[in-house]
PDB file of all heavy atoms in Angstrom:
ATOM      1  N   LEU A  41      61.752  54.999  80.395  1.00 93.00           N
ATOM      2  CA  LEU A  41      62.197  56.364  80.677  1.00 93.00           C
ATOM      3  C   LEU A  41      62.339  56.567  82.188  1.00 93.00           C
ATOM      4  O   LEU A  41      63.311  57.139  82.682  1.00 93.00           O
ATOM      5  CB  LEU A  41      61.203  57.377  80.119  1.00 93.00           C
ATOM      6  CG  LEU A  41      61.250  57.613  78.601  1.00 93.00           C
ATOM      7  CD1 LEU A  41      60.196  58.625  78.202  1.00 93.00           C
ATOM      8  CD2 LEU A  41      62.628  58.118  78.180  1.00 93.00           C
ATOM      9  N   GLU A  42      61.320  56.043  82.907  1.00 92.00           N
ATOM     10  CA  GLU A  42      61.320  56.261  84.354  1.00 92.00           C
ATOM     11  C   GLU A  42      62.487  55.549  85.014  1.00 92.00           C
ATOM     12  O   GLU A  42      63.182  56.104  85.862  1.00 92.00           O
ATOM     13  CB  GLU A  42      59.995  55.747  84.912  1.00 92.00           C
ATOM     14  CG  GLU A  42      59.716  56.207  86.335  1.00 92.00           C
ATOM     15  CD  GLU A  42      58.335  55.755  86.806  1.00 92.00           C
ATOM     16  OE1 GLU A  42      57.439  55.541  85.930  1.00 92.00           O
ATOM     17  OE2 GLU A  42      58.170  55.604  88.024  1.00 92.00           O
ATOM     18  N   ARG A  43      62.718  54.302  84.552  1.00 92.00           N
ATOM     19  CA  ARG A  43      63.841  53.552  85.149  1.00 92.00           C
ATOM     20  C   ARG A  43      65.162  54.225  84.822  1.00 92.00           C
ATOM     21  O   ARG A  43      66.058  54.333  85.657  1.00 92.00           O
ATOM     22  CB  ARG A  43      63.824  52.099  84.637  1.00 92.00           C
ATOM     23  CG  ARG A  43      63.074  51.205  85.593  1.00 92.00           C
ATOM     24  CD  ARG A  43      62.412  50.031  84.964  1.00 92.00           C
ATOM     25  NE  ARG A  43      63.310  49.186  84.169  1.00 92.00           N
ATOM     26  CZ  ARG A  43      62.861  48.210  83.386  1.00 92.00           C
ATOM     27  NH1 ARG A  43      61.552  47.998  83.286  1.00 92.00           N
ATOM     28  NH2 ARG A  43      63.700  47.482  82.706  1.00 92.00           N
ATOM     29  N   ALA A  44      65.269  54.750  83.580  1.00 91.00           N
ATOM     30  CA  ALA A  44      66.499  55.431  83.204  1.00 91.00           C
ATOM     31  C   ALA A  44      66.695  56.696  84.031  1.00 91.00           C
ATOM     32  O   ALA A  44      67.804  57.048  84.436  1.00 91.00           O
ATOM     33  CB  ALA A  44      66.458  55.763  81.716  1.00 91.00           C
ATOM     34  N   GLN A  45      65.560  57.357  84.308  1.00 90.00           N
ATOM     35  CA  GLN A  45      65.637  58.584  85.116  1.00 90.00           C
ATOM     36  C   GLN A  45      66.183  58.275  86.514  1.00 90.00           C
ATOM     37  O   GLN A  45      67.086  58.945  87.009  1.00 90.00           O
ATOM     38  CB  GLN A  45      64.256  59.197  85.227  1.00 90.00           C
ATOM     39  CG  GLN A  45      64.236  60.484  86.016  1.00 90.00           C
ATOM     40  CD  GLN A  45      62.791  61.023  86.158  1.00 90.00           C
ATOM     41  OE1 GLN A  45      61.909  60.672  85.388  1.00 90.00           O
ATOM     42  NE2 GLN A  45      62.607  61.877  87.150  1.00 90.00           N
ATOM     43  N   ILE A  46      65.663  57.173  87.100  1.00 89.00           N
ATOM     44  CA  ILE A  46      66.146  56.789  88.444  1.00 89.00           C
ATOM     45  C   ILE A  46      67.633  56.461  88.402  1.00 89.00           C
ATOM     46  O   ILE A  46      68.423  56.909  89.235  1.00 89.00           O
ATOM     47  CB  ILE A  46      65.344  55.608  88.978  1.00 89.00           C
ATOM     48  CG1 ILE A  46      63.893  56.050  89.218  1.00 89.00           C
ATOM     49  CG2 ILE A  46      65.946  55.071  90.266  1.00 89.00           C
ATOM     50  CD1 ILE A  46      62.937  54.906  89.434  1.00 89.00           C
ATOM     51  N   ALA A  47      68.040  55.721  87.331  1.00 88.00           N
ATOM     52  CA  ALA A  47      69.451  55.343  87.213  1.00 88.00           C
ATOM     53  C   ALA A  47      70.325  56.589  87.125  1.00 88.00           C
ATOM     54  O   ALA A  47      71.388  56.672  87.755  1.00 88.00           O
ATOM     55  CB  ALA A  47      69.639  54.465  85.991  1.00 88.00           C
ATOM     56  N   SER A  48      69.853  57.585  86.361  1.00 87.00           N
ATOM     57  CA  SER A  48      70.690  58.752  86.155  1.00 87.00           C
ATOM     58  C   SER A  48      70.883  59.579  87.427  1.00 87.00           C
ATOM     59  O   SER A  48      71.849  60.307  87.579  1.00 87.00           O
ATOM     60  CB  SER A  48      70.104  59.647  85.048  1.00 87.00           C
ATOM     61  OG  SER A  48      68.903  60.210  85.505  1.00 87.00           O
ATOM     62  N   LEU A  49      69.920  59.376  88.380  1.00 83.00           N
ATOM     63  CA  LEU A  49      70.025  60.151  89.626  1.00 83.00           C
ATOM     64  C   LEU A  49      71.259  59.772  90.424  1.00 83.00           C
ATOM     65  O   LEU A  49      71.721  60.524  91.277  1.00 83.00           O
ATOM     66  CB  LEU A  49      68.765  59.951  90.473  1.00 83.00           C
ATOM     67  CG  LEU A  49      67.502  60.580  89.863  1.00 83.00           C
ATOM     68  CD1 LEU A  49      66.294  60.367  90.763  1.00 83.00           C
ATOM     69  CD2 LEU A  49      67.716  62.073  89.635  1.00 83.00           C
ATOM     70  N   ALA A  50      71.801  58.579  90.135  1.00 82.00           N
ATOM     71  CA  ALA A  50      73.022  58.174  90.841  1.00 82.00           C
ATOM     72  C   ALA A  50      74.124  59.192  90.644  1.00 82.00           C
ATOM     73  O   ALA A  50      74.979  59.370  91.511  1.00 82.00           O
ATOM     74  CB  ALA A  50      73.467  56.799  90.339  1.00 82.00           C
ATOM     75  N   LEU A  51      74.083  59.914  89.524  1.00 81.00           N
ATOM     76  CA  LEU A  51      75.119  60.899  89.225  1.00 81.00           C
ATOM     77  C   LEU A  51      75.071  62.097  90.173  1.00 81.00           C
ATOM     78  O   LEU A  51      76.041  62.793  90.356  1.00 81.00           O
ATOM     79  CB  LEU A  51      74.944  61.416  87.778  1.00 81.00           C
ATOM     80  CG  LEU A  51      75.368  60.446  86.676  1.00 81.00           C
ATOM     81  CD1 LEU A  51      74.964  60.994  85.342  1.00 81.00           C
ATOM     82  CD2 LEU A  51      76.878  60.223  86.734  1.00 81.00           C
ATOM     83  N   LEU A  52      73.897  62.297  90.804  1.00 78.00           N
ATOM     84  CA  LEU A  52      73.775  63.422  91.739  1.00 78.00           C
ATOM     85  C   LEU A  52      74.715  63.222  92.910  1.00 78.00           C
ATOM     86  O   LEU A  52      75.276  64.158  93.472  1.00 78.00           O
ATOM     87  CB  LEU A  52      72.346  63.550  92.229  1.00 78.00           C
ATOM     88  CG  LEU A  52      71.325  64.151  91.240  1.00 78.00           C
ATOM     89  CD1 LEU A  52      69.956  64.219  91.891  1.00 78.00           C
ATOM     90  CD2 LEU A  52      71.775  65.523  90.801  1.00 78.00           C
ATOM     91  N   ALA A  53      74.884  61.922  93.347  1.00 76.00           N
ATOM     92  CA  ALA A  53      75.739  61.650  94.489  1.00 76.00           C
ATOM     93  C   ALA A  53      77.218  61.732  94.102  1.00 76.00           C
ATOM     94  O   ALA A  53      78.044  62.220  94.855  1.00 76.00           O
ATOM     95  CB  ALA A  53      75.420  60.258  95.043  1.00 76.00           C
ATOM     96  N   ASP A  54      77.450  61.293  92.884  1.00 74.00           N
ATOM     97  CA  ASP A  54      78.877  61.194  92.517  1.00 74.00           C
ATOM     98  C   ASP A  54      79.013  61.517  91.034  1.00 74.00           C
ATOM     99  O   ASP A  54      78.447  60.818  90.194  1.00 74.00           O
ATOM    100  CB  ASP A  54      79.324  59.709  92.786  1.00 74.00           C
ATOM    101  CG  ASP A  54      80.812  59.563  92.611  1.00 74.00           C
ATOM    102  OD1 ASP A  54      81.432  60.523  92.092  1.00 74.00           O
ATOM    103  OD2 ASP A  54      81.321  58.485  92.957  1.00 74.00           O
ATOM    104  N   ASP A  55      79.712  62.601  90.699  1.00 72.00           N
ATOM    105  CA  ASP A  55      79.821  63.038  89.298  1.00 72.00           C
ATOM    106  C   ASP A  55      80.547  61.998  88.430  1.00 72.00           C
ATOM    107  O   ASP A  55      80.208  61.800  87.291  1.00 72.00           O
ATOM    108  CB  ASP A  55      80.550  64.386  89.202  1.00 72.00           C
ATOM    109  CG  ASP A  55      79.545  65.527  89.127  1.00 72.00           C
ATOM    110  OD1 ASP A  55      78.306  65.174  89.059  1.00 72.00           O
ATOM    111  OD2 ASP A  55      79.926  66.680  89.141  1.00 72.00           O
ATOM    112  N   MET A  56      81.589  61.397  89.041  1.00 76.00           N
ATOM    113  CA  MET A  56      82.375  60.454  88.244  1.00 76.00           C
ATOM    114  C   MET A  56      82.071  59.032  88.717  1.00 76.00           C
ATOM    115  O   MET A  56      82.611  58.574  89.708  1.00 76.00           O
ATOM    116  CB  MET A  56      83.879  60.766  88.420  1.00 76.00           C
ATOM    117  CG  MET A  56      84.329  61.974  87.627  1.00 76.00           C
ATOM    118  SD  MET A  56      83.938  61.772  85.877  1.00 76.00           S
ATOM    119  CE  MET A  56      85.054  60.458  85.505  1.00 76.00           C
ATOM    120  N   LEU A  57      81.108  58.349  88.039  1.00 76.00           N
ATOM    121  CA  LEU A  57      80.771  56.980  88.436  1.00 76.00           C
ATOM    122  C   LEU A  57      81.811  56.019  87.899  1.00 76.00           C
ATOM    123  O   LEU A  57      82.370  56.244  86.832  1.00 76.00           O
ATOM    124  CB  LEU A  57      79.426  56.588  87.825  1.00 76.00           C
ATOM    125  CG  LEU A  57      78.175  57.109  88.507  1.00 76.00           C
ATOM    126  CD1 LEU A  57      76.958  56.525  87.813  1.00 76.00           C
ATOM    127  CD2 LEU A  57      78.161  56.740  89.973  1.00 76.00           C
ATOM    128  N   ASN A  58      82.017  54.939  88.639  1.00 83.00           N
ATOM    129  CA  ASN A  58      82.934  53.967  88.064  1.00 83.00           C
ATOM    130  C   ASN A  58      82.238  53.224  86.933  1.00 83.00           C
ATOM    131  O   ASN A  58      81.024  52.975  86.959  1.00 83.00           O
ATOM    132  CB  ASN A  58      83.543  53.109  89.177  1.00 83.00           C
ATOM    133  CG  ASN A  58      83.015  51.704  89.271  1.00 83.00           C
ATOM    134  OD1 ASN A  58      82.495  51.156  88.313  1.00 83.00           O
ATOM    135  ND2 ASN A  58      83.127  51.143  90.458  1.00 83.00           N
ATOM    136  N   PRO A  59      82.938  52.923  85.844  1.00 83.00           N
ATOM    137  CA  PRO A  59      82.323  52.403  84.596  1.00 83.00           C
ATOM    138  C   PRO A  59      81.507  51.137  84.818  1.00 83.00           C
ATOM    139  O   PRO A  59      80.462  50.955  84.191  1.00 83.00           O
ATOM    140  CB  PRO A  59      83.522  52.113  83.706  1.00 83.00           C
ATOM    141  CG  PRO A  59      84.681  52.845  84.299  1.00 83.00           C
ATOM    142  CD  PRO A  59      84.418  53.053  85.745  1.00 83.00           C
TER     143      PRO A  59
END
Side-chain angles (χ1 to χ4, degrees):
L41 283 179
E42 194 176 334
R43 266 151 55 190
Q45 181 183 340
I46 294 166
S48 68
L49 291 181
L51 286 171
L52 284 181
D54 188 350
D55 263 355
M56 283 304 293
L57 281 184
N58 106 23

